[in-house]
Amino acid sequence: MKKIEISINGNKIEVPSNYTILEAARENGYRIPTLCHDDRLKPSGACRMCVVEVEGARSLVTSCSTPVRAGMVVKTNSDRVVNSRKTTLELLWADHNYDCLTCNKAGNCDLQDLCYEHDIDPLDGPYIKYSSNHVDKTNEFYIFDEDKCILCGKCVRACSELEGVGAITFSGRGHHTHISHPFEKEMLLSDCVSCGTCVSVCPTGALMEKTNAKFRNWDIDKKVKTTCTYCGVGCQLELVVHDNKVVRIDAPADSINKGITCVKGKFGYKFIDRDDRLKMPLIRKKGKLVESSWDEAYDLIASKMTSTLENYGPDSFAALSSARCTNEENYILQKLFRGVIKTNNVDHCARL
Amino acid sequence: MTNSIGEIENTDALFVIGTNTTENHPVIGTFMKKAVRNGAKLVVADPREIELANYADVYLQINPGSNVALLNAMMNVIISEDLYAKEYIESRTVNFEDMKKTILEFSVEEGARICGVDAEDIRKAARIYAEADKAGIYYAMGITQQSDGTNHVKSIANLGMLCGNVGIESGGINPLRGQNNVQGACDLGALPNVYPGYQKVTNADMKAKFEKAWNVEGLSDKVGLTIPKIMDGGISGDVKFLYIMGENPMVSDPDLNHIEKAFDNFDFIVVQDIFLSETAEKADVVLPAACFAEKEGTFTNTERRIQRVRKAVNAPGEAKADWVIINDIMKKMGYENNFNSANDIMEEIAMVTPQYGGITYDRIEKVGLQWPCPTKDHPGTKYLHKGEFAIGKGKFTAVEYKEPAEVVDPEYNLVLTTGRVLYHYHTGTMTRKVEGLNNMVSKSYIEISPLTAKGLKLEDDELVAISSRRGKIEVNIKITKRIKDHVVFMPFHFAEAAANRLTNAALDPITDIPEYKVCAVKIEKL
Amino acid sequence: MSLVRSHVLICGGTGCTSSGSISIHEKFEECIKKFGLDKEVKVVKTGCFGLCEAGPIVVVYPEGAFYSHVKVEDIERITEEHLYKGRIVKDLLFKQALEGDVIKSVNEVQFYKKQKRVVLKNCGVINPEVIEEYIAFDGYKALGKVVTEMTQQEVVDEIKKSGLRGRGGGGFPTGLKWQFTLDAIGKEKYVACNADEGDPGAFMDRSVLEGDPHSVIEAMAIAGYAIGASKGFIYIRAEYPIAVERLEIALAQAKELGVIGDNIFSTDFSFDLEIRLGAGAFVCGEETALIESIEGRRGMPRPRPPFPANKGIFQMPTLLNNVETYANITQIILNGAEWFRSIGTEKSPGTKVFALGGKINNTGLVEIPMGMTLREVIYDIGGGIPNGKAFKAVQTGGPSGGCLTYKHLDEQITYDNLVRLGSMMGSGGMIVLDEDNCMVDVARFFLDFTVDESCGKCTPCREGTKRMLELLNKICDGKGEIEDIARLENLAVNIKDSSLCGLGQTAPNPVLSTIKNFRHEYISHIEDKKCEAGVCKALLKVTITDKCIGCTACTKVCPVDCISGSRKEMHVIDQNLCIKCGACIEKCPVNAIILK
């Protein structure tokens, strides 16, 4: 792509000519805050957080949607820009519910971070507080809390542009605009497939996973990137770990699945720490499976293997490997049976 | 898949057959829908009016088991209307004339009759596929789980080559693999006839190669048993010792009554799993395994991409990673692997598996690589058969339509087909233990068309008995216009009303894949 | 074709239709038959005459006799006296059409005399439901000329030369827009007409479509030829049923005659038109929201760029102009750019139609050459302020326009002047306000509309206008603080600067311009708690004047018993208890109680 020169905050930079101002700024280390932007979605220009001053333009322009032009002179932090951003934040904040103390999103909330960064005072301003008190809890995996919604529209666009479902929409006009589902039905009755992409993109606590896990976002121990354990697509997931528990699954955007998940990948992790997981080897004694030590189990298996081998030969063995286990595990299992037992009776449920 | 997931959005036409993609591979389903939004044409063939059918330019509600009839009819249109890729066929394939003869003997109308669809729709579908610059075929178990599944797949290959769609970007023949690592399990030798890397056990060179690599002698050069044959071996007493790592055949396998009998007959059964599954309950020894979040390793996805699995949390109690358990047992049996980590195993895999030759954990730290990746500097392979087929020339194989192994008769007058639902995975070992998922779909059901239900005087949600020649279960019906008349559908996730008590274990002669997608059943009012 | 001696033109516009012109039409037909005149007199249902205040309007030619406020009962007299006996019925004429004993024809009436009719040329003249009448007035001649004699670039050049600017309010040079769309590359291109006229006070687009629908259809075909489009969309609100119906009839006739369709005038040029109905959202007049709506989505604006000229309907290059803009096109093609430039001013050539309303004698549609002063429009054409009240302000441009004062009366009406003065051309609405209008309340009134009509997409417009309205309500309720003015100004400036589309960018105008021109009214509301115009109820007191005769009627109706006083003595209201319900004012037999 051809490169062109533009100026940001007085510094000349070269960027590809198909960039937006936001892309150009970010790549060159100029931070521009956003709320409704997502690289995977078409620019919407809804939140107006990313406005910048462009010389010659009548009003401020949104950097997320405006392409660069050769010779463009951009200011990302002039008083005019900062004042506009602060006003926008004040307006959003004035219409937001203030329960940050108890909100699960605290510490992971774009609105909270930006209000903090811009010194927005929640008690400033003479405005009336509106509350819809509308919380849609019908989905099994997440809730929608209208009073925390800033109408950035990311969920609407993600559901339609990324997921191709279109279960979420805007409804109403003006200040009555709200996120809804077709025909104002509840989430459960819509075409929603509970993929959770809307939850992943929501910048506030409006769409949040239903969870019993008690953790604060700043207490997260680590995020571990891994591959989903369900179907063969191989979606990349980030397991969010707190206190040796997977408490949430995020979907990194820079992966083959482009940050999209299905319901199983995003929410199907709660089997991991269930109490009925197998924790000890079990050996059948008098018809019943009873707990034993690893040594006892290994000894039993080895002796049974040896005797079977002696009495019936290698082909009296069969092993079912698993399409759910790792490559390494499949490899080592067939190695055990081929290399040690000397049988090719190894198969797995590829056919099923 | 010959091609990559990322190529789907940019294709010009998609032919989706025998895959309910939006439920079984939901994320690929979203990319397919995106392709359609980007302007691609979509042809869907499935006995059920699946979600993708809503987006299709042509939707063909074919009878279960009639894929070959449809494919042959489409090829008839393409050949008769001169829409095929002559140059491609000339330079890259062999045996075209043979196939052409078979195809032209099979009329479109005959195909339409067998499939139960309109001949004109078949023509439209054929034209869409043939006229697109880049068209991909996407299929899953609806193609393979047939008693002559190998033929269904060959037929797909014929169609792909006929239009020059194999070996190009955004085209290809793309089986969507059902399980997270079914590709890797196949790649790494969890099959009775091949060592890792599809190296044949019957090949003396391969035998020698592995004897050397593993430092052993006397590897078997006899092709081993497939699962259905293993089960037969259990019943006959030939197989005594069954070792199961992370599978649940007591729910997933066909003709469960038969499986149950086999399990009662094995001498000794070891099961490694994360839960006490229906299968583990039958075992003599059950070993607690770590789940995917508790261990290191790799999975290979449906587009042949080897990606990392990483440990996030500790396994519960004394549970161990499956590879650690096997490694311990090998040690007990007097074989020392010197594997101290999953990475050590991958190093050995790379040494003996040509396709994985270039794979190291370092290289796939951020983004996985797609095999074939034979050397450490190979970038991986985005799509296969570029310029030339792996085997040299692509071979057309004339395939004739064959009836399913079991067809309806006056007694068993309905066709049962099986599959998955969005909210569950396989035998439900994991998903049925996630409250939200289980609440979404908590019990089994049979989908039945309004007309069929009316004929049987059934009401929606009524409990009925459904039986085949092999078994009988009770389950509630769900009346839906989305299924073809006289066809019923059941998900197979539910042990308490297991569809596989009904399914037919008629096997494809080459792959031993059971015919899950077609069997004859009857429904009785209770 | 048979010749008739008289034409009776009956206004069939929305205004006159709603005051009964359909039954007047029927009655005329009946009477004419009765008097055996059906071979000599022809009754024509036309589009709007513009002077809606005088409706239903009937004009009889050749005399040009201008009957106003016509009632069904009058028809028999007009038929017998005027049509049968040849005597104009003076007492039924529009009163300004009669000067002493002299009868003025419709064109001599003050209201029409100063107007220049280009866009409304055929309105009130032809029957819009008969394509032949349009053709008789040079209809489809311009299209014929364009497709047979001109290249695409020549057409665009002619429009560019004319200096025509978008009549939708923004005033963007039309020719340039055509050029951009001609230059844009796309698999397909579209021509679209914005007939969504969202300002409740403006109706010139409706009138054009009701009175002369072919002028728009023809112009769109010309535009289609010029930019290389073969398909057009007219986006019209469903609340304009008569316009929709006439448009449908016109389109069907045009297709029937082959002036719309394949191979127009036997050339390679083909053009098809489709009507899309809008559900009546103000924001759908914004071009990108309109495009979204045409595509079948919720009407919410898209960010620009890309502009519709490059990526419009279905992401294809799209030329979008409004009705009034299109209505100029055929005239420009037929009479030439020079002729067009001879009307109006250098930078704002041509005419502009205004919807005159509010406190003015002649409410209705007026088309004036640009450059005329506000005073001429309000006093000469509009006939001044009724009831001898004093002029206070004129609000131009629709709900997001600004309020101008007497200081501006001698300013010329051009795009740039109005913007310079803090208002705009906008929708072409022109609302005159007199001394009885409170400017804070006026600002609140307009803002209330934009708050409701904001699409809700972008933060400043959705949240900001609502907060501004809250502040205005607070001031009107007598609870305002002096800081509220600065708060309003800060919000207004930021909303204008950062909103996504024109709706938000202009919504604060009424507030800003009233603060600028009538700041004292804000201050007196806040500091003195007074509304001089007597509009803001919360600031008013109900007082009993010395006209009181002490009848006690008021004490009996007062629901809160706050009036005291004995019979035949002047009564007193306890202001602390009074709820200003007005019951006493209504009851008082001598109008002694006032709200001030």
Side-chain angles (χ1 to χ4, degrees):
Chain A
M1 187 51 66
K2 202 181 84 188
K3 289 216 167 187
I4 56 169
E5 192 181 86
I6 66 165
S7 138
I8 297 186
N9 299 345
N11 303 314
K12 295 219 153 68
I13 55 169
E14 278 214 331
V15 293
S17 59
N18 63 344
Y19 268 30
T20 61
I21 298 175
L22 182 66
E23 285 169 321
R26 286 193 170 165
E27 203 171 278
N28 287 279
Y30 299 96
R31 200 179 102 74
I32 297 176
T34 60
L35 283 170
C36 73
H37 178 77
D38 186 305
D39 287 333
R40 298 166 294 168
L41 301 173
K42 277 186 250 158
S44 145
C47 75
R48 317 308 285 178
M49 275 308 292
C50 74
V51 289
V52 295
E53 204 175 328
V54 170
E55 220 172 78
R58 186 165 42 97
S59 51
L60 300 174
V61 305
T62 42
S63 57
C64 68
S65 65
T66 310
V68 293
R69 251 185 304 105
M72 191 179 239
V73 177
V74 179
K75 286 186 202 147
T76 68
N77 56 5
S78 65
D79 287 350
R80 183 177 162 203
V81 169
V82 172
N83 186 32
S84 169
R85 273 185 204 142
K86 285 185 77 158
T87 303
T88 299
L89 278 173
E90 271 163 13
L91 289 169
L92 288 173
W93 189 224
D95 216 18
H96 197 74
N97 99 11
Y98 297 158
D99 66 358
C100 291
L101 269 182
T102 52
C103 180
N104 261 0
K105 191 83 175 187
N108 192 26
C109 172
D110 293 350
L111 182 66
Q112 192 186 49
D113 292 348
L114 287 173
C115 285
Y116 175 72
E117 184 186 329
H118 287 81
D119 291 320
I120 305 303
D121 183 348
L123 300 176
D124 201 17
Y127 306 128
I128 299 167
K129 191 93 218 151
Y130 299 98
S131 177
S132 73
N133 291 319
H134 176 242
V135 183
D136 186 337
K137 295 177 179 171
T138 57
N139 186 287
E140 283 290 335
F141 308 96
Y142 40 92
I143 57 146
F144 171 68
D145 184 343
E146 193 176 313
D147 288 336
K148 291 181 185 171
C149 174
I150 58 168
L151 293 167
C152 68
K154 270 166 115 173
C155 53
V156 177
R157 289 181 290 143
C159 191
S160 149
E161 291 176 34
L162 297 180
E163 195 50 33
V165 170
I168 314 178
T169 182
F170 290 103
S171 190
R173 271 206 299 226
H175 199 254
H176 302 291
T177 308
H178 58 278
I179 293 298
S180 176
H181 305 279
F183 310 106
E184 299 273 359
K185 282 185 185 167
E186 294 166 326
M187 206 185 306
L188 188 68
L189 301 175
S190 72
D191 282 348
C192 172
V193 292
S194 303
C195 69
T197 304
C198 56
V199 178
S200 300
V201 299
C202 182
T204 71
L207 277 157
M208 255 192 309
E209 184 173 351
K210 286 181 179 171
T211 179
N212 295 324
K214 286 282 175 196
F215 68 99
R216 306 303 289 183
N217 282 290
W218 48 86
D219 285 339
I220 283 168
D221 298 325
K222 57 184 170 181
K223 286 188 176 187
V224 178
K225 192 173 169 186
T226 195
T227 304
C228 179
T229 186
Y230 290 107
C231 77
V233 178
C235 293
Q236 297 297 289
L237 307 173
E238 264 176 6
L239 308 186
V240 178
V241 179
H242 175 249
D243 198 15
N244 195 41
K245 272 191 176 158
V246 177
V247 291
R248 188 176 74 224
I249 288 188
D250 289 344
D254 56 340
S255 57
I256 53 153
N257 45 307
K258 300 189 177 162
I260 304 170
T261 53
C262 77
V263 59
K264 298 186 286 289
K266 175 88 181 163
F267 303 112
Y269 62 89
K270 285 166 189 161
F271 71 89
I272 297 172
D273 58 4
R274 271 182 69 115
D275 279 345
D276 56 351
R277 281 283 302 274
L278 290 169
K279 299 185 187 74
M280 293 292 287
L282 307 173
I283 293 177
R284 189 169 299 279
K285 287 177 180 165
K286 294 179 190 157
K288 275 200 175 136
L289 288 168
V290 294
E291 283 193 358
S292 77
S293 71
W294 277 102
D295 281 339
E296 195 188 346
Y298 281 154
D299 286 341
L300 177 61
I301 292 166
S303 74
K304 196 74 197 175
M305 275 185 169
T306 312
S307 64
T308 307
L309 209 48
E310 277 168 12
N311 297 333
Y312 304 103
D315 285 340
S316 65
F317 284 81
L320 267 54
S321 197
S322 176
R324 246 94 71 217
C325 291
T326 64
N327 287 324
E328 293 75 3
E329 288 159 349
N330 276 286
Y331 178 82
I332 196 171
L333 182 83
Q334 61 91 35
K335 186 175 176 185
L336 163 62
F337 282 87
R338 291 203 161 100
V340 180
I341 308 288
K342 311 267 167 46
T343 178
N344 284 320
N345 292 346
V346 182
D347 199 4
H348 75 288
C349 62
R351 300 167 182 80
L352 316 182
Chain B
M1 288 170 73
T2 60
N3 289 54
S4 299
I5 294 168
E7 295 168 35
I8 295 173
E9 306 181 11
N10 302 318
T11 192
D12 297 321
L14 304 101
F15 179 26
V16 171
I17 176 165
T19 158
N20 182 5
T21 320
T22 55
E23 293 206 52
N24 290 333
H25 302 87
V27 172
I28 288 184
T30 68
F31 295 140
M32 288 179 172
K33 287 193 267 180
K34 187 152 188 204
V36 173
R37 283 202 303 283
N38 289 346
K41 298 260 191 236
L42 174 65
V43 174
V44 172
D46 201 287
R48 296 166 71 214
E49 197 184 324
I50 55 173
E51 191 200 337
L52 282 176
N54 299 344
Y55 301 86
D57 295 279
V58 178
Y59 165 55
L60 300 153
Q61 189 161 44
I62 57 171
N63 286 320
S66 66
N67 298 315
V68 172
L70 173 66
L71 292 161
N72 283 0
M74 281 173 70
M75 286 190 272
N76 182 313
V77 176
I78 293 167
I79 295 171
S80 313
E81 298 188 5
D82 208 19
L83 300 171
Y84 58 103
K86 290 189 203 73
E87 214 172 285
Y88 177 95
I89 292 168
E90 185 71 25
S91 62
R92 296 195 50 179
T93 67
V94 293
N95 214 23
F96 173 64
E97 290 305 322
D98 240 32
M99 184 201 69
K100 184 174 167 185
K101 196 166 151 268
T102 310
I103 293 295
L104 291 181
E105 279 165 8
F106 183 82
S107 75
V108 181
E109 277 65 29
E110 176 68 358
R113 188 190 60 76
I114 293 167
C115 296
V117 299
D118 191 6
E120 205 39 50
D121 285 342
I122 295 182
R123 291 197 172 88
K124 275 189 214 153
R127 288 174 200 137
I128 286 175
Y129 179 76
E131 286 168 357
D133 278 349
K134 306 166 286 188
I137 307 177
Y138 304 87
Y139 68 93
M141 297 308 200
I143 289 289
T144 53
Q145 289 176 348
Q146 309 282 353
S147 60
D148 59 340
T150 309
N151 280 343
H152 292 234
V153 175
K154 282 181 181 161
S155 219
I156 294 243
N158 288 342
L159 176 62
M161 292 191 293
L162 183 66
C163 297
N165 276 325
V166 189
I168 61 165
E169 189 156 345
S170 294
I173 293 169
N174 301 293
L176 306 177
R177 309 300 308 257
Q179 302 180 53
N180 54 333
N181 200 33
V182 63
Q183 184 68 50
C186 293
D187 296 345
L188 277 316
L191 294 170
N193 58 335
V194 288
Y195 291 112
Y198 305 98
Q199 303 173 89
K200 293 208 161 70
V201 295
T202 49
N203 182 323
D205 292 345
M206 294 305 138
K207 179 172 175 248
K209 172 180 169 178
F210 279 92
E211 283 175 342
K212 185 167 170 240
W214 291 346
N215 194 23
V216 294
E217 282 173 6
L219 291 185
S220 167
D221 55 6
K222 201 175 100 195
V223 170
L225 302 175
T226 58
I227 293 179
K229 301 281 161 64
I230 291 171
M231 296 304 153
D232 293 346
I235 290 173
S236 71
D238 293 339
V239 177
K240 305 281 184 199
F241 190 115
L242 182 64
Y243 199 104
I244 300 177
M245 175 174 79
E247 296 224 332
N248 192 10
M250 282 302 300
V251 179
S252 64
D253 284 27
D255 194 357
L256 282 180
N257 296 339
H258 180 74
I259 304 289
E260 212 162 7
K261 228 159 93 190
F263 267 75
D264 291 341
N265 217 25
F266 288 118
D267 205 21
F268 196 74
I269 303 171
V270 182
V271 172
Q272 290 175 204
D273 212 320
I274 61 173
F275 287 106
L276 193 66
S277 66
E278 291 78 6
T279 303
E281 278 175 9
K282 297 268 179 190
D284 297 287
V285 178
V286 178
L287 302 174
C291 78
F292 83 115
E294 298 154 356
K295 63 187 178 187
E296 301 286 333
T298 55
F299 291 152
T300 304
N301 77 350
T302 187
E303 55 165 4
R304 302 165 276 107
R305 190 184 297 277
I306 300 132
Q307 305 188 110
R308 279 300 312 274
V309 174
R310 292 184 179 85
K311 180 175 172 172
V313 293
N314 297 325
E318 294 187 12
K320 296 179 184 187
D322 289 293
W323 70 266
V324 174
I325 300 171
I326 307 289
N327 197 36
D328 288 348
I329 290 173
M330 288 172 87
K331 218 178 279 176
K332 282 270 175 199
M333 294 299 291
Y335 185 92
E336 187 57 64
N337 274 312
N338 291 320
F339 291 151
N340 293 310
S341 66
N343 191 15
D344 291 347
I345 305 179
M346 183 50 82
E347 280 177 17
E348 185 172 312
I349 290 173
M351 249 159 42
V352 299
T353 314
Q355 297 90 331
Y356 283 60
I359 306 295
T360 68
Y361 277 18
D362 278 349
R363 288 190 74 196
I364 59 171
E365 176 64 25
K366 284 213 169 84
V367 183
L369 285 165
Q370 286 173 283
W371 69 255
C373 177
T375 58
K376 299 281 185 271
D377 52 7
H378 191 284
T381 307
K382 193 171 159 190
Y383 59 95
L384 303 176
H385 314 304
K386 185 181 182 179
E388 190 184 43
F389 282 92
I391 55 164
K393 295 242 175 187
K395 190 176 172 215
F396 282 102
T397 319
V399 174
E400 283 179 39
Y401 166 73
K402 199 177 121 257
E403 275 192 343
E406 191 174 67
V407 292
V408 292
D409 62 18
E411 189 185 358
Y412 296 99
N413 59 346
L414 299 171
V415 179
L416 170 72
T417 185
T418 64
R420 295 184 188 167
V421 301
L422 173 66
Y423 296 97
H424 289 293
Y425 175 71
H426 225 62
T427 65
T429 313
M430 296 180 289
T431 51
R432 295 202 65 202
K433 290 194 158 57
V434 175
E435 196 189 340
L437 295 172
N438 207 40
N439 288 349
M440 288 306 288
V441 183
S442 55
K443 58 178 190 180
S444 193
Y445 57 87
I446 315 174
E447 280 185 7
I448 185 167
S449 80
L451 186 81
T452 318
K454 204 177 160 201
L456 292 161
K457 299 194 171 58
L458 300 176
E459 305 268 330
D460 198 20
D461 206 32
E462 183 171 342
L463 189 72
V464 299
I466 174 166
S467 48
S468 73
R469 292 184 176 85
R470 292 154 295 277
K472 179 174 185 175
I473 55 175
E474 290 184 1
V475 64
N476 296 75
I477 67 160
K478 191 161 149 182
I479 297 177
T480 168
K481 281 186 270 187
R482 289 188 165 259
I483 190 144
K484 212 173 164 75
D485 293 332
H486 310 298
V487 176
V488 294
F489 166 86
M490 241 185 113
F492 69 89
H493 311 289
F494 302 91
E496 64 275 20
N500 285 329
R501 296 217 175 265
L502 310 173
T503 50
N504 190 0
L507 303 179
D508 177 86
I510 295 162
T511 59
D512 279 2
I513 295 183
E515 190 154 55
Y516 285 111
K517 296 302 178 198
V518 197
C519 76
V521 294
K522 66 178 172 192
I523 289 180
E524 289 159 305
K525 225 175 151 71
L526 285 175
Chain C
M1 200 175 156
S2 62
L3 288 174
V4 292
R5 106 180 128 73
S6 268
H7 281 90
V8 176
L9 270 48
I10 302 171
C11 175
T14 295
C16 289
T17 301
S18 56
S19 47
S21 72
I22 291 176
S23 21
I24 289 170
H25 189 163
E26 286 163 357
K27 186 73 181 175
F28 258 117
E29 298 279 7
E30 183 194 315
C31 292
I32 283 166
K33 232 175 233 157
K34 191 172 146 195
F35 285 91
L37 297 170
D38 43 339
K39 294 243 158 54
E40 298 163 53
V41 177
K42 189 175 176 192
V43 184
V44 180
K45 183 178 76 177
T46 70
C48 179
F49 286 85
L51 190 52
C52 305
E53 187 272 330
I57 290 173
V58 173
V59 175
V60 180
Y61 281 103
E63 299 90 335
F66 183 5
Y67 293 104
S68 71
H69 304 100
V70 178
K71 289 187 274 300
V72 177
E73 307 83 275
D74 302 331
I75 310 303
E76 191 146 348
R77 255 181 83 205
I78 296 176
T79 315
E80 181 172 355
E81 286 295 310
H82 187 162
L83 299 173
Y84 190 66
K85 299 180 180 162
R87 296 193 292 241
I88 294 177
V89 189
K90 286 187 186 170
D91 62 305
L92 293 176
L93 287 177
F94 178 55
K95 58 180 185 296
Q96 293 169 31
L98 203 63
E99 218 169 72
D101 248 5
V102 184
I103 295 169
K104 290 181 171 180
S105 82
V106 61
N107 296 323
E108 291 166 333
V109 168
Q110 185 75 2
F111 179 78
Y112 291 106
K113 220 160 95 183
K114 277 207 155 183
Q115 293 194 43
K116 168 82 189 166
R117 298 204 143 201
V118 174
V119 167
L120 302 176
K121 169 176 91 88
N122 288 339
C123 290
V125 177
I126 63 165
N127 182 342
E129 295 181 8
V130 181
I131 192 170
E132 287 77 10
E133 295 206 7
Y134 177 69
I135 292 172
F137 283 80
D138 290 340
Y140 290 103
K141 201 168 152 188
L143 177 61
K145 177 177 172 188
V146 160
V147 298
T148 56
E149 295 172 20
M150 295 171 83
T151 66
Q152 290 175 281
Q153 188 60 54
E154 278 168 359
V155 180
V156 173
D157 285 343
E158 194 65 24
I159 304 301
K160 275 205 268 188
K161 264 191 279 172
S162 75
L164 176 65
R165 294 171 69 173
R167 299 297 195 241
F172 189 81
T174 305
L176 215 52
K177 213 182 215 184
W178 288 37
Q179 185 73 58
F180 290 153
T181 326
L182 169 62
D183 294 344
I185 296 161
K187 257 201 318 218
E188 269 177 80
K189 291 185 187 180
Y190 297 112
V191 169
C193 173
N194 184 347
D196 190 59
E197 203 163 43
D199 170 8
F203 51 100
M204 60 286 292
D205 292 349
R206 188 190 74 204
S207 279
V208 170
L209 293 173
E210 285 175 358
D212 195 14
H214 286 288
S215 69
V216 173
I217 294 172
E218 184 182 1
M220 289 182 74
I222 291 171
Y225 173 80
I227 63 147
S230 56
K231 168 108 195 170
F233 295 94
I234 301 176
Y235 184 83
I236 181 168
R237 47 178 50 217
E239 290 100 321
Y240 281 180
I242 297 177
V244 172
E245 194 192 333
R246 303 233 168 108
L247 206 46
E248 281 168 349
I249 292 169
L251 193 54
Q253 290 173 348
K255 285 181 180 175
E256 173 77 31
L257 220 62
V259 287
I260 292 293
D262 290 340
N263 302 104
I264 294 170
F265 290 105
S266 306
T267 64
D268 289 341
F269 175 60
S270 299
F271 189 73
D272 187 32
L273 258 181
E274 199 178 303
I275 298 169
R276 293 274 169 123
L277 295 187
F282 182 58
V283 75
C284 285
E286 196 281 336
E287 57 179 9
T288 58
L290 181 147
I291 287 169
E292 289 274 308
S293 183
I294 284 181
E295 290 176 1
R297 278 195 288 272
R298 180 182 157 94
M300 279 175 138
R302 304 172 180 168
R304 298 178 303 178
F307 289 91
N310 291 310
K311 282 188 175 175
I313 298 172
F314 303 120
Q315 299 296 312
M316 295 300 154
T318 299
L319 175 68
L320 181 59
N321 289 127
N322 92 326
V323 172
E324 194 183 334
T325 313
Y326 280 125
N328 279 292
I329 298 296
T330 55
Q331 302 296 305
I332 293 172
I333 298 291
L334 288 178
N335 302 323
E338 283 312 308
W339 163 82
F340 190 76
R341 293 203 75 99
S342 72
I343 309 165
T345 70
E346 160 148 28
K347 289 206 170 133
S348 299
T351 62
K352 176 75 189 96
V353 185
F354 285 94
L356 211 48
K359 306 287 179 57
I360 191 151
N361 278 313
N362 298 338
T363 57
L365 278 190
V366 301
E367 183 173 1
I368 53 149
M370 299 257 206
M372 192 178 261
T373 64
L374 284 164
R375 187 185 299 282
E376 287 174 281
V377 176
I378 294 167
Y379 287 95
D380 296 351
I381 296 175
I385 319 293
N387 306 324
K389 296 272 183 177
F391 168 86
K392 188 184 225 175
V394 55
Q395 204 269 1
T396 73
S400 12
C403 292
L404 305 176
T405 72
Y406 67 93
K407 284 183 289 187
H408 306 118
L409 276 178
D410 292 311
E411 293 277 0
Q412 286 192 319
I413 298 169
T414 67
Y415 285 102
D416 311 300
N417 250 359
L418 289 178
V419 170
R420 183 174 58 80
L421 301 174
S423 184
M424 60 182 194
M425 195 74 88
S427 63
M430 191 178 279
I431 307 215
V432 180
L433 306 168
D434 71 6
E435 57 188 283
D436 289 343
N437 290 107
C438 161
M439 297 313 288
V440 184
D441 181 64
V442 165
R444 177 169 74 157
F445 174 81
F446 286 115
L447 198 65
D448 190 50
F449 177 81
T450 40
V451 164
D452 265 357
E453 292 292 340
S454 162
C455 78
K457 180 173 178 178
C458 79
T459 313
C461 179
R462 179 187 70 240
E463 305 289 339
T465 56
K466 175 79 180 174
R467 297 309 184 181
M468 285 180 73
L469 183 61
E470 269 174 24
L471 289 168
L472 289 174
N473 282 334
K474 194 177 148 197
I475 293 170
C476 290
D477 283 349
K479 294 171 188 151
E481 305 161 87
I482 201 71
E483 300 79 26
D484 288 339
I485 298 179
R487 285 186 182 125
L488 278 170
E489 286 174 318
N490 180 53
L491 278 172
V493 166
N494 279 305
I495 293 166
K496 277 175 79 83
D497 208 12
S498 66
S499 285
L500 170 59
C501 81
L503 196 162
Q505 287 165 8
T506 57
N509 281 348
V511 181
L512 280 178
S513 70
T514 50
I515 290 180
K516 185 176 154 207
N517 295 323
F518 300 92
R519 196 180 190 91
H520 57 279
E521 290 199 23
Y522 281 83
I523 291 173
S524 85
H525 276 70
I526 293 168
E527 295 199 326
D528 312 335
K529 308 291 174 204
K530 267 190 172 160
C531 175
E532 290 299 340
V535 174
C536 298
K537 220 171 171 183
L539 298 179
L540 302 179
K541 279 185 192 162
V542 181
T543 36
I544 302 178
T545 62
D546 49 14
K547 281 200 222 161
C548 175
I549 51 169
C551 70
T552 72
C554 56
T555 61
K556 287 173 191 141
V557 294
C558 178
V560 291
D561 289 334
C562 71
I563 307 178
S564 56
S566 31
R567 188 166 270 281
K568 304 222 165 145
E569 274 173 31
M570 196 171 131
H571 292 6
V572 182
I573 294 175
D574 182 344
Q575 296 295 340
N576 291 326
L577 295 177
C578 174
I579 55 166
K580 298 166 194 168
C581 66
C584 53
I585 299 174
E586 233 164 77
K587 195 73 187 175
C588 180
V590 293
N591 294 330
I593 311 179
I594 56 163
L595 192 66
K596 182 79 184 171

